[in-house]
Amino acid sequence: MKAPFSPYLDRIVPGLKQLLILLGREYPYVSVLSTDSAGFAVRISQRSKSVSEKTMTTERGSVVRVWKDGRVSEVSFNRFDPDRPEETAQALLSSLRAQRDMLCAVSCPVYTTPPIPDEACQVRFEADTELLPEKTDMEKLIGSLTEISDSGMKKGSHMIDLSVSAQSTHISKLFLTANRDMRQSYVYSEGSVSAICSENGRMEVGHEGLSGRRGPEIFSGLTDCLDKALSTADELLRGERVVPGEYDIITTPEVTGLIAHEAFGHGVEMDMFVKNRALGSEYIGRRIASPLVTMHEGALCAESVTAYAFDDEGTLAGDVTEIEHGILRSGICDTLSALRLGCAPTGNGKRENYEHKAYTRMTNTLFDSGDSTLEEMIASVRYGYLLSGMQSGMEDPKHWGIQCIIDRGYEIRDGKLTGKIVTPVIMTGYVPDLLGSVTMVSRDREVFGNGGCGKGHKEWVKVADGGPCLKARARLG
Amino acid sequence: MTVEEIIGLLRSCGADAWEITQTTEETWEFYFIRRRLDQNRVRSVEHIRVKVYRKSPDGQYLGSAQGEIYPTSSPEEAEKNIRTLLRSASYVKNPVYTLRKPEESASDPENGPIPSPSSVAEDFIRAVNQVPESASEDINSWELFVTSGQRRFLNSEGIDKTENTTSSALEIVLNARDASHEIELYRMYQSGTCDAETLVRDITETLAIGKNKLTARPTPALRKADVLFSNAAVLPVYEYFTDRMNAAFIVQGISDWKKDDPIAQARYDTITVSAVKTLPNSSANHAFDPEGAPTRDLVLIERNIPKNFYGNRQFSEYLSLSDSFQAENFRFEGGSETEESIRKGDYLEVLEFSDFQVSPLNGDIAGEIRLALWHCGGEVIPVSGGSVSGTMTDFVRTMRMSRALRHSDNYVIPAFTRLQGVTVTGAEAE
């Protein structure tokens, strides 16, 4: 079935179009993004259970963007009567005038932005899904999550709790200007199993997740996640600390994705180029990685949690080749940054929700596959670690530093896994050094979309990342 | 939909119990690239969040489900939402607990007029404009968010409280440069309104330390070293203690701390921390918590001994905590050290991390060093790169803290903190 577009948004379209006309009397460019996204989040553990209709992306509201004399302004609001658009127009104009007056009082100069183009575009996109979150049988879902939690407590050792979560969101977004009418709807879902265990005073969490641009039908896969989460928890309890130093590493696809995202993805968000906050701007056309490294970014790259048809500024989704055989080809760009840099936007203008500003943000950030097998890669390592599971990462585009906190490392000596495990593993380094050290790339590839991505320490959006296994050299601590 | 209409629907749909939180907020946002305005925004929104409860027929369980009724929802849509929530709540089986009653709730706050985001925003812009810049140190970009509004909490037991709220956030990126390269430093300031003097002083000091990063060498492979924290980067260390005293973390097994059972035998300083009702200019000053409970001062840990856990109604009742609440302001006591004594010997003073994290589950710390000062044999060497790691369960035994305190939004913490025997992975080739 198709994920149907929001009837509420369809209903307010005439009122919004009238709002655009009213605001257009004062501003040469006016757009409105309106959203109506519903979903649920269920979390079941032995110790507490919760159900909410709020996920990271559930929302209903609108944001108007206006441009005049080089200045860009926005108003976010969630009270709108489609039969009285003039009331909203008056309120918005009054707010913007009040801000303009205050800015005049403090003599604030403006960073001038060229006029925002408004070429005609019509989009109607409804993605396929098997089930819709709003039609989910909650009794059945809660029952199956409870079974997984109960079963995990029986199967696992040293268990404190076993938490199972399931979230699904039906996104509907509408983008209108004088010349554009774009409507999209799709469903994405994510779930996870977390096994909390303790032994000899040490506590650890084994975690396994799944996600995709699919409906709640994906939660049938959580049973498979259980065994992996329990196994990981056991391994973490046996883990030792890594001796700090530089090692040969093999990254599993989840860690490869973390590198793609933190080590490189943030570094080519071109709103950072506008502010001169990213080294990447100086390296376009230059070698920054091994010839084995090719990386893509774009909502069209994979059917993940962020596989939309157009972004939050009404730009169609793209597929950008960021690195081609080690050469930095392109960054990704939102509309306003593109105007300032004189390039084309890439469909990466995203907002946390309608209440937030749009920034250049990642969608799917993926390394391309190579031609090695994981077995060949392990056999080639004299002393190092196979790194698996991600905890978190942090970008540093200005200095191209990386911080990746990885769940665990499996020791490799003389081409064989020894059974020794280290945890947690902090991988740091200089991005071109790390990517330049890639010597093997595996044939398979996986995409991960659990969790969210912040810009600095805020502005959380859904992203996905991944790739194959990589063999490289890195500093671990 | 209005709150009163929603209450009518909750009653007609047969909710056993319910809670409603209505927030009405206006935010003024300004985005700057250097001194020029990149974009200005207004955010004017109302949120009505509803939580419904259903008891199991045998009275042993209380289920809940929560959602939002939008201001633009039709009565039919709102009723459908509430019925769906009630159905979901009936499948959720948590041990029974009670909702807060009016006699247990906060007294009515003394609300003055809602402050204008305009005047607070203007104060911030004028403050940042005062920051002295030079050819080698300046502001790269900054984002300002000033929110004012009202928060109203109601429940089916009869609580109905309203308070005015104000909060601000300033994110700023600073540059320092020499002939060969440019570096950046990042700061995020959160507060109630604008404390211009403190803000200008802190940004000016941060610009000054940027010079160090220009000359920073790769962090040496120290293996183990003492790490000194002398700014707000240390906050995750102190949040580790307050998180582990949260009733939710106790019930869920994330924290294994027990009342009156010392968290560690300390060789030097011990932890004493209280939840406090208010802190000057904190963005977390509230007369009542998200469930209508009065906020107040409460000792949480006294000399490393847990005294009182805190938390929401559900988890507090499970732990038989009377009169608990969801604390947001915390005040730590200082330790025994002066700045001079805590700086004795060799140590790594970390001024900036990429992202410093402390796990509330097992105390693991992790952070990449963006800028530190390696104090070694009387020399002070700026260093960058590498990481710190280890676990708070070890560090708490030998942690040293200054008597002097530092205030950062909703936390008062020791101005200087020294952790012994931290694993430091260097950035220079071994």
Side-chain angles (χ1 to χ4, degrees):
Chain A
M1 68 179 289
K2 299 286 184 191
F5 186 70
S6 156
Y8 165 76
L9 291 179
D10 272 336
R11 201 163 55 244
I12 65 170
V13 164
L16 289 171
K17 287 190 171 175
Q18 190 59 33
L19 177 67
L20 293 181
I21 291 167
L22 293 168
L23 295 173
R25 290 174 188 161
E26 187 148 333
Y27 291 96
Y29 175 89
V30 187
S31 71
V32 63
L33 173 77
S34 293
T35 61
D36 183 24
S37 303
F40 66 76
V42 180
R43 184 175 167 274
I44 301 293
S45 85
Q46 300 294 303
R47 296 168 185 243
S48 69
K49 297 157 181 66
S50 65
V51 174
S52 172
E53 290 186 352
K54 180 165 178 56
T55 72
M56 195 173 148
T57 50
T58 49
E59 55 175 331
R60 180 188 280 185
S62 301
V63 53
V64 160
R65 171 182 281 181
V66 296
W67 177 94
K68 186 179 183 181
D69 299 333
R71 176 188 288 187
V72 178
S73 308
E74 291 188 344
V75 184
S76 301
F77 56 98
N78 68 349
R79 283 163 293 213
F80 178 66
D81 183 344
D83 297 327
R84 296 186 177 83
E86 60 284 352
E87 284 180 11
T88 303
Q90 283 307 316
L92 267 52
L93 290 169
S94 167
S95 293
L96 291 170
R97 281 187 203 118
Q99 282 203 332
R100 188 189 59 203
D101 292 347
M102 190 276 277
L103 289 164
C104 283
V106 292
S107 308
C108 183
V110 173
Y111 192 111
T112 306
T113 305
I116 301 171
D118 186 26
E119 288 119 15
C121 186
Q122 308 286 315
V123 172
R124 296 286 185 280
F125 173 74
E126 291 182 336
D128 290 325
T129 185
E130 280 182 40
L131 298 171
L132 294 169
E134 58 269 37
K135 304 278 186 193
T136 299
D137 182 337
M138 203 54 75
E139 183 177 18
K140 195 173 161 192
L141 177 65
I142 291 171
S144 72
L145 301 186
T146 304
E147 269 180 38
I148 293 171
S149 177
D150 293 347
S151 151
M153 291 301 287
K154 286 179 196 152
K155 283 167 120 178
S157 51
H158 315 294
M159 296 298 296
I160 290 177
D161 201 357
L162 198 133
S163 170
V164 192
S165 71
Q167 297 184 42
S168 185
T169 311
H170 179 175
I171 304 276
S172 286
K173 292 192 179 186
L174 164 74
F175 184 84
L176 297 174
T177 65
N179 298 313
R180 292 187 180 211
D181 184 334
M182 306 168 83
R183 306 178 195 196
Q184 65 177 332
S185 56
Y186 59 93
V187 176
Y188 79 86
S189 305
E190 54 186 314
S192 65
V193 176
S194 299
I196 305 175
C197 53
S198 172
E199 188 179 27
N200 300 325
R202 176 147 188 93
M203 299 173 78
E204 292 289 356
V205 184
H207 186 83
E208 189 69 26
L210 49 76
S211 66
R213 196 185 71 189
R214 297 175 57 198
E217 65 272 10
I218 73 163
F219 300 133
S220 60
L222 285 170
T223 310
D224 293 336
C225 291
L226 173 62
D227 288 338
K228 291 179 186 165
L230 292 172
S231 164
T232 300
D234 263 357
E235 289 176 347
L236 294 176
L237 283 177
R238 290 192 286 121
E240 302 172 19
R241 292 279 175 186
V242 66
V243 176
E246 198 171 284
Y247 295 93
D248 281 346
I249 59 163
I250 297 170
T251 59
T252 53
E254 194 177 6
V255 178
T256 300
L258 182 62
I259 293 171
H261 183 93
E262 300 295 353
F264 202 78
H266 280 294
V268 290
E269 290 170 339
M270 291 170 74
D271 54 352
M272 305 295 256
F273 289 15
V274 174
K275 297 173 182 173
N276 193 27
R277 289 193 59 201
L279 268 182
S281 61
E282 299 164 22
Y283 283 79
I284 300 287
R286 292 167 61 182
R287 176 165 298 284
I288 47 93
S290 144
L292 297 175
V293 173
T294 294
M295 188 189 286
H296 285 256
E297 154 63 49
L300 296 178
C301 292
E303 283 203 354
S304 73
V305 296
T306 183
Y308 49 67
F310 58 86
D311 71 6
D312 293 337
E313 298 178 299
T315 303
L316 293 172
D319 176 354
V320 173
T321 305
E322 290 184 332
I323 306 174
E324 188 176 25
H325 301 302
I327 308 296
L328 178 56
R329 293 296 181 202
S330 176
I332 53 174
C333 209
D334 64 277
T335 297
L336 299 183
S337 300
L339 286 167
R340 289 156 179 185
L341 294 166
C343 62
T346 57
N348 291 82
K350 293 170 69 171
R351 301 173 190 271
E352 180 172 316
N353 55 45
Y354 73 90
E355 298 181 37
H356 289 246
K357 176 182 181 285
Y359 296 81
T360 301
R361 304 305 300 269
M362 281 176 268
T363 54
N364 301 296
T365 313
L366 307 168
F367 282 98
D368 279 12
S369 303
D371 55 11
S372 300
T373 65
L374 178 59
E375 292 71 27
E376 290 166 350
M377 294 166 81
I378 292 171
S380 73
V381 174
R382 194 179 66 78
Y383 179 36
Y385 288 96
L386 171 66
L387 302 177
S388 185
M390 64 150 282
Q391 289 188 6
S392 68
M394 192 66 191
E395 77 276 18
D396 182 11
K398 181 72 178 178
H399 314 106
W400 252 344
I402 51 164
Q403 170 180 310
C404 297
I405 303 179
I406 296 156
D407 220 22
R408 58 204 183 275
Y410 301 92
E411 188 186 64
I412 307 168
R413 279 192 186 267
D414 300 324
K416 291 189 175 65
L417 291 165
T418 64
K420 181 181 167 184
I421 294 159
V422 292
T423 181
V425 182
I426 308 167
M427 181 171 72
T428 56
Y430 180 60
V431 172
D433 288 349
L434 177 68
L435 297 184
S437 73
V438 173
T439 51
M440 296 176 89
V441 180
S442 73
R443 290 173 196 153
D444 49 350
R445 190 170 91 158
E446 286 183 70
V447 180
F448 302 87
N450 284 82
C453 162
K455 186 125 174 156
H457 295 266
K458 57 184 185 63
E459 312 295 341
W460 295 92
V461 297
K462 289 302 298 178
V463 294
D465 51 48
C469 297
L470 302 178
K471 182 188 170 193
R473 193 151 178 88
R475 194 181 312 120
L476 308 180
Chain B
M1 291 297 292
T2 64
V3 165
E4 283 65 31
E5 288 169 327
I6 291 168
I7 292 171
L9 284 173
L10 285 162
R11 287 181 178 142
S12 66
C13 291
D16 291 335
W18 48 262
E19 293 172 330
I20 296 175
T21 303
Q22 178 191 29
T23 55
T24 311
E25 292 181 334
E26 179 160 316
T27 304
W28 277 33
E29 304 175 7
F30 300 94
Y31 302 79
F32 291 88
I33 299 175
R34 304 220 175 266
R35 299 290 186 183
R36 288 188 291 169
L37 179 75
D38 170 15
Q39 190 174 135
N40 56 300
R41 302 186 80 253
V42 176
R43 172 182 159 272
S44 177
V45 293
E46 177 186 11
H47 292 287
I48 303 173
R49 297 188 174 89
V50 176
K51 188 170 185 180
V52 300
Y53 293 87
R54 267 281 155 90
K55 266 189 188 162
S56 62
D58 61 7
Q60 284 193 48
Y61 298 105
L62 183 68
S64 66
Q66 53 191 320
E68 180 168 356
I69 307 293
Y70 298 113
T72 49
S73 294
S74 65
E76 297 74 26
E77 193 181 2
E79 182 175 343
K80 190 178 162 200
N81 283 359
I82 288 168
R83 290 196 185 281
T84 303
L85 287 173
L86 282 167
R87 203 162 40 248
S88 294
S90 68
Y91 309 133
V92 176
K93 304 216 177 306
N94 284 313
V96 75
Y97 57 98
T98 62
L99 267 61
R100 190 165 291 276
K101 295 182 170 44
E103 56 272 26
E104 302 168 303
S105 72
S107 53
D108 287 326
E110 291 173 12
N111 286 319
I114 301 174
S116 149
S118 166
S119 62
V120 179
E122 186 173 337
D123 290 345
F124 271 103
I125 294 170
R126 290 190 189 280
V128 175
N129 284 342
Q130 286 173 37
V131 173
E133 295 179 298
S134 68
S136 55
E137 295 105 32
D138 55 19
I139 295 169
N140 173 286
S141 50
W142 53 293
E143 300 184 354
L144 174 63
F145 306 82
V146 177
T147 300
S148 65
Q150 263 191 348
R151 176 174 71 106
R152 181 182 179 195
F153 174 81
L154 311 85
N155 73 7
S156 50
E157 299 293 320
I159 295 177
D160 185 352
K161 303 285 175 197
T162 300
E163 75 169 359
N164 297 345
T165 57
T166 304
S167 64
S168 309
L170 173 72
E171 182 190 61
I172 191 162
V173 176
L174 306 169
N175 286 144
R177 66 185 67 78
D178 59 17
S180 63
H181 70 304
E182 181 177 273
I183 61 92
E184 76 173 33
L185 295 168
Y186 173 96
R187 290 289 182 273
M188 169 72 97
Y189 301 97
Q190 287 176 307
S191 58
T193 57
C194 177
D195 176 356
E197 190 183 332
T198 305
L199 187 69
V200 173
R201 186 176 62 239
D202 200 275
I203 295 172
T204 306
E205 286 172 7
T206 306
L207 280 170
I209 68 170
K211 290 174 191 166
N212 289 314
K213 193 160 180 179
L214 289 168
T215 57
R217 303 177 196 170
T219 303
L222 301 172
R223 298 291 172 109
K224 294 281 182 186
D226 284 9
V227 169
L228 181 79
F229 299 88
S230 56
N231 59 25
V234 73
L235 262 178
V237 166
Y238 289 96
E239 287 167 348
Y240 165 77
F241 296 103
T242 52
D243 283 350
R244 285 181 70 88
M245 291 301 293
N246 189 317
F249 282 54
I250 302 288
V251 172
Q252 292 171 20
I254 294 167
S255 170
D256 55 1
W257 287 355
K258 296 177 182 65
K259 191 171 190 278
D260 295 326
D261 188 3
I263 58 176
Q265 294 299 325
R267 191 185 302 174
Y268 303 110
D269 292 321
T270 55
I271 294 290
T272 294
V273 56
S274 299
V276 290
K277 184 179 173 69
T278 59
L279 285 173
N281 205 27
S282 164
S283 61
N285 286 342
H286 296 296
F288 55 92
D289 81 353
E291 296 169 313
T295 53
R296 62 192 171 94
D297 293 359
L298 177 71
V299 174
L300 304 180
I301 303 174
E302 191 169 22
R303 296 181 185 175
N304 272 10
I305 299 172
K307 290 295 178 189
N308 293 289
F309 298 109
Y310 69 94
N312 71 11
R313 183 75 171 183
Q314 179 186 4
F315 294 121
S316 295
E317 277 207 8
Y318 292 168
L319 295 180
S320 303
L321 306 177
S322 60
D323 213 11
S324 191
F325 62 102
Q326 298 178 56
E328 289 189 70
N329 288 319
F330 301 97
R331 182 184 178 86
F332 283 79
E333 299 300 315
S336 59
E337 306 277 353
T338 63
E339 181 179 355
E340 189 185 7
S341 67
I342 208 167
R343 285 185 178 276
K344 279 186 181 157
D346 296 346
Y347 59 91
L348 185 72
E349 181 179 3
V350 183
L351 300 173
E352 181 148 312
F353 288 102
S354 294
D355 184 24
F356 181 53
Q357 297 183 15
V358 179
S359 163
L361 181 80
N362 53 28
D364 284 350
I365 74 164
E368 189 208 11
I369 302 163
R370 278 199 183 165
L371 178 62
L373 301 173
W374 172 224
H375 298 253
C376 178
E379 262 194 284
V380 182
I381 306 160
V383 296
S384 181
S387 62
V388 299
S389 59
T391 175
M392 284 304 299
T393 51
D394 294 335
F395 300 142
V396 71
R397 297 189 189 112
T398 55
M399 192 167 163
R400 292 160 62 192
M401 292 170 278
S402 66
R403 278 196 291 274
L405 298 171
R406 163 183 305 281
H407 180 186
S408 179
D409 191 24
N410 58 330
Y411 273 76
V412 172
I413 56 173
F416 299 92
T417 304
R418 184 163 171 155
L419 303 183
Q420 285 192 358
V422 178
T423 300
V424 179
T425 305
E428 69 180 11
E430 293 187 44

